[in-house]
mmCIF file of all heavy atoms in Angstrom:
data_model
loop_
_atom_site.group_PDB
_atom_site.id
_atom_site.type_symbol
_atom_site.label_atom_id
_atom_site.label_comp_id
_atom_site.label_asym_id
_atom_site.label_seq_id
_atom_site.Cartn_x
_atom_site.Cartn_y
_atom_site.Cartn_z
ATOM 1 N N ASN A 624 8.462 2.938 10.734
ATOM 2 C CA ASN A 624 9.787 3.478 10.322
ATOM 3 C C ASN A 624 10.879 2.381 10.350
ATOM 4 O O ASN A 624 12.035 2.732 10.521
ATOM 5 C CB ASN A 624 10.261 4.662 11.102
ATOM 6 C CG ASN A 624 10.413 4.340 12.638
ATOM 7 O OD1 ASN A 624 10.053 3.158 13.035
ATOM 8 N ND2 ASN A 624 10.732 5.299 13.412
ATOM 9 N N ASP A 625 10.563 1.090 10.306
ATOM 10 C CA ASP A 625 11.510 -0.018 10.428
ATOM 11 C C ASP A 625 11.462 -0.877 9.278
ATOM 12 O O ASP A 625 11.884 -2.108 9.373
ATOM 13 C CB ASP A 625 11.269 -0.763 11.755
ATOM 14 C CG ASP A 625 9.988 -1.483 11.857
ATOM 15 O OD1 ASP A 625 9.073 -1.200 10.853
ATOM 16 O OD2 ASP A 625 9.743 -2.336 12.702
ATOM 17 N N GLN A 626 11.120 -0.387 8.108
ATOM 18 C CA GLN A 626 11.050 -1.177 6.899
ATOM 19 C C GLN A 626 12.309 -1.834 6.591
ATOM 20 O O GLN A 626 12.417 -3.022 6.205
ATOM 21 C CB GLN A 626 10.355 -0.397 5.793
ATOM 22 C CG GLN A 626 9.106 0.045 5.843
ATOM 23 C CD GLN A 626 9.028 1.546 6.384
ATOM 24 O OE1 GLN A 626 9.932 1.903 7.001
ATOM 25 N NE2 GLN A 626 7.858 2.094 6.194
ATOM 26 N N THR A 627 13.393 -1.115 6.648
ATOM 27 C CA THR A 627 14.752 -1.661 6.251
ATOM 28 C C THR A 627 15.143 -2.930 7.252
ATOM 29 O O THR A 627 15.709 -3.729 6.782
ATOM 30 C CB THR A 627 15.795 -0.549 6.410
ATOM 31 O OG1 THR A 627 15.436 0.569 5.506
ATOM 32 C CG2 THR A 627 17.128 -1.018 5.899
ATOM 33 N N GLU A 628 14.802 -2.682 8.558
ATOM 34 C CA GLU A 628 15.284 -3.636 9.485
ATOM 35 C C GLU A 628 14.404 -4.955 9.411
ATOM 36 O O GLU A 628 14.776 -6.013 9.751
ATOM 37 C CB GLU A 628 15.105 -3.084 10.817
ATOM 38 C CG GLU A 628 16.209 -1.965 11.113
ATOM 39 C CD GLU A 628 15.699 -0.679 10.719
ATOM 40 O OE1 GLU A 628 14.579 -0.547 10.166
ATOM 41 O OE2 GLU A 628 16.463 0.354 10.721
ATOM 42 N N THR A 629 13.088 -4.859 9.037
ATOM 43 C CA THR A 629 12.135 -5.946 9.265
ATOM 44 C C THR A 629 11.796 -6.671 7.941
ATOM 45 O O THR A 629 11.446 -7.807 8.012
ATOM 46 C CB THR A 629 10.841 -5.369 9.894
ATOM 47 O OG1 THR A 629 10.272 -4.352 9.124
ATOM 48 C CG2 THR A 629 11.126 -4.860 11.262
ATOM 49 N N LEU A 630 11.796 -5.942 6.800
ATOM 50 C CA LEU A 630 11.195 -6.565 5.643
ATOM 51 C C LEU A 630 11.900 -7.856 5.135
ATOM 52 O O LEU A 630 11.099 -8.897 5.121
ATOM 53 C CB LEU A 630 11.257 -5.533 4.433
ATOM 54 C CG LEU A 630 10.589 -6.014 3.133
ATOM 55 C CD1 LEU A 630 9.144 -6.306 3.303
ATOM 56 C CD2 LEU A 630 10.807 -4.914 2.072
ATOM 57 N N SER A 631 13.225 -7.876 5.013
ATOM 58 C CA SER A 631 13.758 -9.048 4.598
ATOM 59 C C SER A 631 13.631 -10.321 5.578
ATOM 60 O O SER A 631 13.353 -11.449 5.194
ATOM 61 C CB SER A 631 15.295 -8.911 4.340
ATOM 62 O OG SER A 631 15.490 -7.994 3.201
ATOM 63 N N ALA A 632 13.607 -9.926 6.782
ATOM 64 C CA ALA A 632 13.558 -10.890 7.856
ATOM 65 C C ALA A 632 12.098 -11.469 7.845
ATOM 66 O O ALA A 632 11.879 -12.725 7.911
ATOM 67 C CB ALA A 632 13.692 -10.274 9.282
ATOM 68 N N TYR A 633 11.134 -10.677 7.507
ATOM 69 C CA TYR A 633 9.711 -11.184 7.537
ATOM 70 C C TYR A 633 9.480 -11.993 6.271
ATOM 71 O O TYR A 633 8.888 -13.069 6.323
ATOM 72 C CB TYR A 633 8.624 -9.905 7.270
ATOM 73 C CG TYR A 633 8.417 -9.161 8.531
ATOM 74 C CD1 TYR A 633 7.661 -7.897 8.457
ATOM 75 C CD2 TYR A 633 8.781 -9.592 9.746
ATOM 76 C CE1 TYR A 633 7.482 -7.264 9.669
ATOM 77 C CE2 TYR A 633 8.452 -8.944 10.984
ATOM 78 C CZ TYR A 633 7.818 -7.597 10.811
ATOM 79 O OH TYR A 633 7.513 -6.915 11.933
ATOM 80 N N VAL A 634 10.243 -11.676 5.087
ATOM 81 C CA VAL A 634 10.121 -12.498 3.937
ATOM 82 C C VAL A 634 10.676 -13.886 4.197
ATOM 83 O O VAL A 634 10.015 -14.921 3.907
ATOM 84 C CB VAL A 634 10.691 -11.852 2.688
ATOM 85 C CG1 VAL A 634 10.768 -12.764 1.595
ATOM 86 C CG2 VAL A 634 9.963 -10.634 2.269
ATOM 87 N N LYS A 635 11.867 -13.905 4.668
ATOM 88 C CA LYS A 635 12.526 -15.149 5.130
ATOM 89 C C LYS A 635 11.714 -16.045 5.966
ATOM 90 O O LYS A 635 11.580 -17.187 5.860
ATOM 91 C CB LYS A 635 13.924 -14.877 5.580
ATOM 92 C CG LYS A 635 14.640 -16.205 5.891
ATOM 93 C CD LYS A 635 16.068 -15.792 6.428
ATOM 94 C CE LYS A 635 17.014 -17.097 6.474
ATOM 95 N NZ LYS A 635 16.372 -18.252 7.357
ATOM 96 N N GLU A 636 11.181 -15.417 7.069
ATOM 97 C CA GLU A 636 10.372 -16.156 8.052
ATOM 98 C C GLU A 636 9.192 -16.734 7.403
ATOM 99 O O GLU A 636 8.859 -17.920 7.697
ATOM 100 C CB GLU A 636 9.971 -15.167 9.145
ATOM 101 C CG GLU A 636 9.276 -15.828 10.259
ATOM 102 C CD GLU A 636 8.964 -14.850 11.472
ATOM 103 O OE1 GLU A 636 9.662 -13.896 11.525
ATOM 104 O OE2 GLU A 636 8.047 -15.099 12.283
ATOM 105 N N LEU A 637 8.415 -16.025 6.544
ATOM 106 C CA LEU A 637 7.248 -16.547 5.900
ATOM 107 C C LEU A 637 7.602 -17.774 5.002
ATOM 108 O O LEU A 637 6.946 -18.781 4.977
ATOM 109 C CB LEU A 637 6.594 -15.455 5.084
ATOM 110 C CG LEU A 637 5.691 -14.396 5.856
ATOM 111 C CD1 LEU A 637 5.023 -13.502 4.912
ATOM 112 C CD2 LEU A 637 4.651 -15.177 6.671
ATOM 113 N N LEU A 638 8.711 -17.522 4.157
ATOM 114 C CA LEU A 638 8.964 -18.634 3.259
ATOM 115 C C LEU A 638 9.431 -19.855 3.947
ATOM 116 O O LEU A 638 9.023 -20.978 3.733
ATOM 117 C CB LEU A 638 10.102 -18.089 2.358
ATOM 118 C CG LEU A 638 9.660 -16.970 1.341
ATOM 119 C CD1 LEU A 638 11.002 -16.601 0.517
ATOM 120 C CD2 LEU A 638 8.595 -17.353 0.430
ATOM 121 N N ASP A 639 10.238 -19.604 5.024
ATOM 122 C CA ASP A 639 10.747 -20.812 5.799
ATOM 123 C C ASP A 639 9.670 -21.498 6.554
ATOM 124 O O ASP A 639 9.509 -22.760 6.525
ATOM 125 C CB ASP A 639 11.731 -20.394 6.757
ATOM 126 C CG ASP A 639 13.069 -19.999 6.176
ATOM 127 O OD1 ASP A 639 13.323 -20.202 5.039
ATOM 128 O OD2 ASP A 639 13.897 -19.305 6.870
ATOM 129 N N THR A 640 8.731 -20.706 7.138
ATOM 130 C CA THR A 640 7.626 -21.317 7.919
ATOM 131 C C THR A 640 6.707 -22.130 6.971
ATOM 132 O O THR A 640 6.190 -23.185 7.365
ATOM 133 C CB THR A 640 6.697 -20.186 8.611
ATOM 134 O OG1 THR A 640 7.539 -19.478 9.404
ATOM 135 C CG2 THR A 640 5.569 -20.847 9.330
ATOM 136 N N GLN A 641 6.509 -21.718 5.721
ATOM 137 C CA GLN A 641 5.640 -22.376 4.832
ATOM 138 C C GLN A 641 6.362 -23.307 3.934
ATOM 139 O O GLN A 641 5.711 -24.078 3.079
ATOM 140 C CB GLN A 641 4.887 -21.396 3.953
ATOM 141 C CG GLN A 641 3.939 -20.471 4.736
ATOM 142 C CD GLN A 641 2.894 -21.187 5.623
ATOM 143 O OE1 GLN A 641 2.410 -22.115 5.138
ATOM 144 N NE2 GLN A 641 2.631 -20.648 6.850
ATOM 145 N N GLY A 642 7.598 -23.552 4.017
ATOM 146 C CA GLY A 642 8.387 -24.368 3.177
ATOM 147 C C GLY A 642 8.342 -24.078 1.857
ATOM 148 O O GLY A 642 8.321 -24.875 0.817
ATOM 149 N N GLN A 643 8.357 -22.650 1.532
ATOM 150 C CA GLN A 643 8.234 -22.113 0.182
ATOM 151 C C GLN A 643 9.545 -21.670 -0.306
ATOM 152 O O GLN A 643 10.207 -20.901 0.422
ATOM 153 C CB GLN A 643 7.127 -21.035 0.203
ATOM 154 C CG GLN A 643 7.046 -20.203 -1.165
ATOM 155 C CD GLN A 643 6.227 -20.945 -2.113
ATOM 156 O OE1 GLN A 643 4.989 -21.037 -2.028
ATOM 157 N NE2 GLN A 643 6.803 -21.365 -3.189
ATOM 158 N N LYS A 644 9.974 -22.015 -1.578
ATOM 159 C CA LYS A 644 11.121 -21.513 -1.965
ATOM 160 C C LYS A 644 10.856 -20.224 -2.988
ATOM 161 O O LYS A 644 9.857 -20.273 -3.610
ATOM 162 C CB LYS A 644 11.919 -22.551 -2.895
ATOM 163 C CG LYS A 644 12.350 -23.667 -2.100
ATOM 164 C CD LYS A 644 13.180 -24.615 -2.889
ATOM 165 C CE LYS A 644 13.755 -25.852 -2.120
ATOM 166 N NZ LYS A 644 14.385 -26.838 -3.021
ATOM 167 N N GLY A 645 11.741 -19.262 -2.906
ATOM 168 C CA GLY A 645 11.425 -18.124 -3.664
ATOM 169 C C GLY A 645 11.259 -18.327 -5.134
ATOM 170 O O GLY A 645 10.451 -17.677 -5.754
ATOM 171 N N GLN A 646 12.080 -19.174 -5.709
ATOM 172 C CA GLN A 646 11.954 -19.395 -7.142
ATOM 173 C C GLN A 646 10.750 -20.254 -7.604
ATOM 174 O O GLN A 646 10.419 -20.287 -8.814
ATOM 175 C CB GLN A 646 13.249 -20.123 -7.627
ATOM 176 C CG GLN A 646 13.466 -21.554 -6.980
ATOM 177 C CD GLN A 646 14.499 -21.418 -5.674
ATOM 178 O OE1 GLN A 646 14.368 -20.403 -4.953
ATOM 179 N NE2 GLN A 646 15.235 -22.542 -5.483
ATOM 180 N N ASP A 647 10.080 -20.678 -6.568
ATOM 181 C CA ASP A 647 8.797 -21.421 -6.817
ATOM 182 C C ASP A 647 7.585 -20.585 -6.575
ATOM 183 O O ASP A 647 6.392 -21.045 -6.792
ATOM 184 C CB ASP A 647 8.681 -22.665 -6.130
ATOM 185 C CG ASP A 647 9.840 -23.764 -6.310
ATOM 186 O OD1 ASP A 647 10.160 -23.709 -7.561
ATOM 187 O OD2 ASP A 647 10.248 -24.536 -5.395
ATOM 188 N N LEU A 648 7.739 -19.345 -6.155
ATOM 189 C CA LEU A 648 6.557 -18.472 -6.068
ATOM 190 C C LEU A 648 5.905 -18.193 -7.489
ATOM 191 O O LEU A 648 6.464 -18.160 -8.469
ATOM 192 C CB LEU A 648 7.055 -17.120 -5.549
ATOM 193 C CG LEU A 648 7.514 -17.003 -4.122
ATOM 194 C CD1 LEU A 648 8.131 -15.641 -3.822
ATOM 195 C CD2 LEU A 648 6.297 -17.157 -3.196
ATOM 196 N N ALA A 649 4.585 -18.048 -7.342
ATOM 197 C CA ALA A 649 3.748 -17.723 -8.670
ATOM 198 C C ALA A 649 4.156 -16.257 -9.077
ATOM 199 O O ALA A 649 4.033 -15.917 -10.190
ATOM 200 C CB ALA A 649 2.265 -17.786 -8.405
ATOM 201 N N GLY A 650 4.623 -15.404 -8.141
ATOM 202 C CA GLY A 650 4.880 -13.994 -8.496
ATOM 203 C C GLY A 650 5.017 -13.204 -7.185
ATOM 204 O O GLY A 650 4.850 -13.741 -6.036
#
Side-chain angles (χ1 to χ4, degrees):
N624 59 356
D625 63 350
Q626 294 93 338
T627 302
E628 294 82 3
T629 59
L630 183 61
S631 294
Y633 284 168
V634 171
K635 184 179 187 303
E636 185 177 335
L637 282 183
L638 295 180
D639 289 348
T640 299
Q641 299 300 323
Q643 173 81 67
K644 294 182 178 180
Q646 59 267 33
D647 294 330
L648 289 167

